[in-house]
Amino acid sequence: MSETRIDRRFKALKAEGRAAFVTYVMAGDPDYQSALAIVRGLPAAGADIIEVGLPFTDPMADGPAIQQAGLRALAGGMTLKKTLHLISEFREDDDDTPIVLMGYYNPIYSYGVDRFLSDATAAGVDGLIVVDLPSEEDRELCLPARAAGLNFIRLATPTTDDKRLPKVLANSSGFLYYVSIAGTTGAAAPSPRDVATALTRIRKTTDLPIAVGFGLRTGAQAAEIAKIADGAVVGTALVEQVALGSDNADAVKRVLGLAREISAGIRSVKKT
Amino acid sequence: MAKLNSYRTGPDETGHFGIFGGQFVAETLMPLILELDDAYEASKKDPEFAKELSGLLKHYVGRESPLYFAERLTEHYGGAKIYLKREDLNHTGAHKINNCMGQILLARRMGKKRIIAETGAGQHGVATATVAARFGLKCAIYMGETDIERQKPNVFRMKLLGAEVIPVKSGARTLKDAMNEALRDWVTNVEDTFYIIGTVAGPHPYPELVRDFQCVIGEETRRQVMAAEGRLPDTLLACIGGGSNAMGLFHPFLDDEGVEIIGVEAAGLGIDTNKHAASLNGGRPGVLHGNRTYLLQDDDGQILEAHSISAGLDYPGIGPEHSWLNDVGRVKYVNATDAEALEAFQLCCKLEGIIPALESAHALAYLETLAPGLPKDHIIVVNLSGRGDKDIFTVANALGVEL
């Protein structure tokens, strides 16, 4: 497939000698306009790649913070259609920052895969992470998404052994998302040593950039990961700032404030 | 659709029944599910496994369960001859233990040390806690707070059996949310934990293996009705939430063309209201909890809350094989409301001296529509999937009686 914004971003960061700061925020949380303000503010706050969460009623791999963020968004009337609209509004003044849509399959299946792919591409989505579509279900969305020029980003976990890894990597592109702990989002922080061992093992099988996530909350933790991975993903900690905000404007301010702090941690690590 | 040679060959090697089923889970769980599939396939080839299971079903569960001629219900409706398959007489009071016994033997073979399960009415939770106690394994049961409130006796039973009952506070706090939470536990405790799913749903191989463990219901019924009547029944009737008691009764008869098969979904306050649990009659295909199946959902693919007076049927989905049997037309799916189930519940108590589970009362309720118009030699077998002692508080409340 042809080069995507994600490919270009990782190439540029490699040349720059640092890891990517991958952020996750929920579309429509706390409301549409505030979420748009967050997404628009993230690149200036240091985000290199933005994962936009697609809200779903039953997020079986997410911890309480992201569950609640999704429910807040849904309560405010967020839908898949509005999520794509949010991304297209973001694209009006940012044509470089890669956007990865992350969520669960049913809203996409309900929307219709072909219609979704054409609308997502038009909106400026670059990649997809669909938590409940393992490689066993590649025919559902992964292969059509590839054909439509979107990166299908796969999760590898501590349970993904050497035998299974090639299968997980088979149709994935963009980057590999290494889930550093067996658990839901926002659970305990990973041990950098275990992560390093896993990354060494995975790199024997792939040249894809590897971003590491689940459990990263601070600039210091992200910096540790930035030393060994090609990217550090922070989601739950950012999403929690929305809930802590005294009002929507404060929520936006808090999310972007934490993003700046974590970004500084990642940027402090110079890679050769 | 072209007529099939057999309705009993599913799932295919990828775990699908037509378009339904599959393995829609997070990557963390995939290796575990593949491991389970291997262990299950190995157990099928091992005569020792079958021997151990059938010994436990006989001596511990108390099988076989009677096929009982319900003379007074038959008289009452004045039409078809009604038999009840008495799964309510199993140890723990429902069909759920058939499956739990099979799965815990698998868990032991796989060297797992900890058992988790979701439960709605508490019947599956009690059955799981029971087998975990029997084999000395740690056990955690996820149960929605709403269900904990309406099924207090079962909650205490599980605790007596040594299980930890974990209240689920997300969503509507019922079965769907309990299943989400159990899956989250499994994602977190991948090393030592075995997830005993209670119905014919979830990622492959669960729909298949739960079905296989429940097929003992239909296989016994076949033998028993042959012994009693010298022929197969004309109609099978069972209630459907996820659909495990129904699948267990139906599956051994799917290829018997002359046997009419009817599943009864829970219509709650009515199919035309938004308070029901009839995923086939009121939903459309979608993906949840590891499989593609009919689901109650809104236009955006968000899952809707189900409603039924019966906690065990209060689920917005249904096993994928039922979805397939619906679409190919082999099984007819109808529904009964809360009010109809309550009527049938009381009728069964009064006429037969049997307190049925509110779940099973949905199947009994359809007799009103079905039985009277049929000839006296028409044989109906109703799966009396569980006993109703657990439901007396709910029923008292619905009837305005203070206990």
Side-chain angles (χ1 to χ4, degrees):
Chain A
M1 52 192 291
S2 53
E3 199 178 59
T4 65
R5 287 190 189 91
I6 298 172
D7 301 329
R8 284 198 290 276
R9 181 56 53 103
F10 273 106
K11 221 185 256 179
L13 289 172
K14 190 164 186 174
E16 209 182 303
R18 68 174 178 89
F21 176 29
V22 183
T23 57
Y24 171 99
V25 290
M26 180 66 77
D29 178 35
D31 64 12
Y32 181 92
Q33 283 306 333
S34 311
L36 180 60
I38 289 171
V39 175
R40 278 184 169 152
L42 277 171
D48 298 303
I49 294 175
I50 303 171
E51 295 175 1
V52 174
L54 173 64
F56 183 49
T57 40
D58 294 84
M60 66 174 179
D62 283 302
I66 291 180
Q67 289 173 41
Q68 281 153 22
L71 293 178
R72 285 194 297 268
L74 291 173
M78 203 59 188
T79 60
L80 172 52
K81 203 180 163 84
K82 288 183 191 165
T83 302
L84 294 179
H85 189 249
L86 184 148
I87 293 167
S88 67
E89 286 205 272
F90 168 81
R91 274 281 169 257
E92 285 168 8
D93 36 50
D94 187 323
D95 197 31
D96 299 316
T97 308
I99 295 278
V100 175
L101 191 63
M102 180 166 180
Y104 294 78
Y105 185 41
N106 199 52
I108 296 170
Y109 179 68
S110 170
Y111 196 83
V113 165
D114 291 343
R115 180 176 159 227
F116 166 75
L117 289 174
S118 99
D119 290 1
T121 314
V125 172
D126 304 290
L128 302 174
I129 300 177
V130 184
V131 180
D132 52 354
L133 285 179
S135 50
E136 276 70 11
E137 303 292 349
D138 270 359
R139 278 179 304 175
E140 294 286 334
L141 181 63
C142 173
L143 298 179
R146 258 182 91 94
L150 293 177
N151 290 129
F152 199 85
I153 294 141
R154 193 82 74 186
L155 276 64
T157 75
T159 60
T160 313
D161 59 17
D162 286 338
K163 187 167 146 255
R164 183 164 171 80
L165 192 56
K167 202 171 156 76
V168 168
L169 289 163
N171 296 308
S172 68
S173 59
F175 62 95
L176 180 71
Y177 186 149
Y178 182 67
V179 174
S180 53
I181 44 154
T184 52
T185 48
S191 125
R193 208 170 53 189
D194 291 351
V195 173
T197 310
L199 296 190
T200 307
R201 177 170 70 84
I202 294 169
R203 286 202 170 105
K204 287 180 189 151
T205 316
T206 184
D207 294 328
L208 278 180
I210 305 175
V212 174
F214 276 40
L216 301 182
R217 313 187 67 88
T218 65
Q221 283 172 340
E224 284 299 310
I225 292 299
K227 286 178 193 161
I228 51 179
D230 305 299
V233 191
V234 178
T236 295
L238 293 174
V239 163
E240 276 172 359
Q241 294 304 314
V242 175
L244 292 172
S246 56
D247 55 33
N248 290 352
D250 187 45
V252 176
K253 210 173 118 198
R254 279 169 171 273
V255 174
L256 298 178
L258 181 62
R260 270 189 292 275
E261 187 191 318
I262 296 171
S263 163
I266 291 171
R267 280 163 203 262
S268 72
V269 179
K270 192 74 191 156
K271 300 167 69 128
T272 46
Chain B
M1 185 172 289
K3 202 162 171 299
L4 301 169
N5 293 323
S6 172
Y7 292 99
R8 304 189 62 195
T9 54
D12 63 20
E13 66 277 14
T14 60
H16 291 83
F17 305 90
I19 66 161
F20 300 105
Q23 296 179 307
F24 296 88
V25 295
E27 171 59 25
T28 316
L29 293 181
M30 258 333 285
L32 284 76
I33 282 164
L34 296 172
E35 185 195 355
L36 173 62
D37 198 21
D38 289 346
Y40 181 55
E41 289 302 319
S43 77
K44 283 202 269 193
K45 295 186 188 96
D46 182 357
E48 283 304 309
F49 184 87
K51 201 175 141 198
E52 189 179 9
L53 179 58
S54 77
L56 285 160
L57 289 179
K58 178 164 194 261
H59 299 292
Y60 187 75
V61 175
R63 303 205 71 91
E64 59 182 31
S65 69
L67 182 69
Y68 162 73
F69 173 47
E71 201 174 344
R72 297 197 65 209
L73 273 176
T74 300
E75 263 171 39
H76 173 82
Y77 290 116
K81 204 166 176 183
I82 299 163
Y83 281 88
L84 303 178
K85 178 61 173 164
R86 298 290 306 276
E87 291 298 301
D88 60 315
L89 294 177
N90 293 336
H91 180 41
T92 71
H95 70 291
K96 291 290 184 189
I97 195 150
N98 304 330
N99 164 50
C100 290
M101 197 53 91
Q103 288 201 46
I104 202 138
L105 293 186
L106 276 179
R108 273 160 58 84
R109 293 192 151 215
M110 294 170 74
K112 301 294 182 184
K113 302 283 179 241
R114 178 174 174 267
I115 301 295
I116 56 168
E118 83 294 339
T119 197
Q123 291 303 96
H124 175 58
V126 168
T128 303
T130 298
V131 296
R134 167 65 183 77
F135 290 102
L137 297 178
K138 265 175 67 178
C139 180
I141 306 290
Y142 287 89
M143 188 167 185
E145 272 193 337
T146 307
D147 290 337
I148 286 180
E149 190 49 46
R150 58 180 169 175
Q151 299 289 345
K152 280 180 192 155
N154 271 344
V155 174
F156 187 55
R157 265 181 209 117
M158 287 184 266
K159 288 180 179 167
L160 284 173
L161 292 161
E164 183 191 358
V165 180
I166 303 172
V168 175
K169 299 178 205 297
S170 54
R173 308 170 182 202
T174 60
L175 185 52
K176 166 178 85 97
D177 312 292
M179 196 149 179
N180 287 333
E181 224 38 67
L183 283 164
R184 288 178 189 126
D185 179 308
W186 204 24
V187 166
T188 309
N189 300 292
V190 290
E191 291 300 327
D192 65 340
T193 296
F194 188 102
Y195 181 13
I196 298 189
I197 291 184
T199 192
V200 285
H204 175 71
Y206 280 104
E208 177 190 359
L209 72 86
V210 176
R211 174 197 74 197
D212 292 350
F213 290 138
Q214 290 295 359
C215 272
V216 64
I217 303 172
E219 284 154 9
E220 283 178 10
T221 301
R222 250 186 119 83
R223 285 198 301 274
Q224 292 167 318
V225 75
M226 288 303 289
E229 297 279 351
R231 66 177 183 90
L232 293 181
D234 298 294
T235 306
L236 302 175
L237 206 52
C239 68
I240 304 216
S244 70
N245 88 82
M247 192 57 74
L249 176 66
F250 296 171
H251 201 261
F253 292 94
L254 287 177
D255 288 340
D256 298 295
E257 254 178 75
V259 180
E260 176 191 36
I261 305 182
I262 302 174
V264 186
E265 294 192 291
L269 302 183
I271 288 286
D272 47 354
T273 70
N274 58 5
K275 295 242 177 246
H276 65 80
S279 9
L280 287 175
N281 286 288
R284 61 190 159 83
V287 173
L288 179 71
H289 292 155
N291 56 182
R292 174 165 24 231
T293 193
Y294 277 82
L295 297 172
L296 302 180
Q297 54 184 318
D298 70 10
D299 291 342
D300 191 43
Q302 304 297 337
I303 308 303
L304 297 171
E305 302 296 347
H307 165 83
S308 170
I309 190 169
S310 143
L313 305 181
D314 205 344
Y315 180 70
I318 182 168
E321 194 167 10
H322 283 295
S323 292
W324 177 73
L325 288 168
N326 176 73
D327 282 13
V328 298
R330 175 61 186 99
V331 177
K332 182 176 155 189
Y333 293 90
V334 299
N335 53 78
T337 62
D338 287 355
E340 289 163 342
L342 264 175
E343 275 299 315
F345 177 96
Q346 294 172 80
L347 192 70
C348 186
C349 293
K350 280 180 189 148
L351 292 182
E352 295 292 349
I354 296 170
I355 303 178
L358 271 174
E359 290 78 21
S360 321
H362 285 74
L364 293 170
Y366 196 65
L367 287 171
E368 176 93 35
T369 309
L370 185 69
L374 291 169
K376 291 196 187 311
D377 61 351
H378 186 106
I379 302 167
I380 301 177
V381 174
V382 185
N383 198 5
L384 198 73
S385 54
R387 68 177 180 222
D389 307 55
K390 66 181 172 65
D391 293 317
I392 56 170
F393 299 100
T394 307
V395 172
N397 189 38
L399 299 177
V401 176
E402 210 162 310
L403 292 183

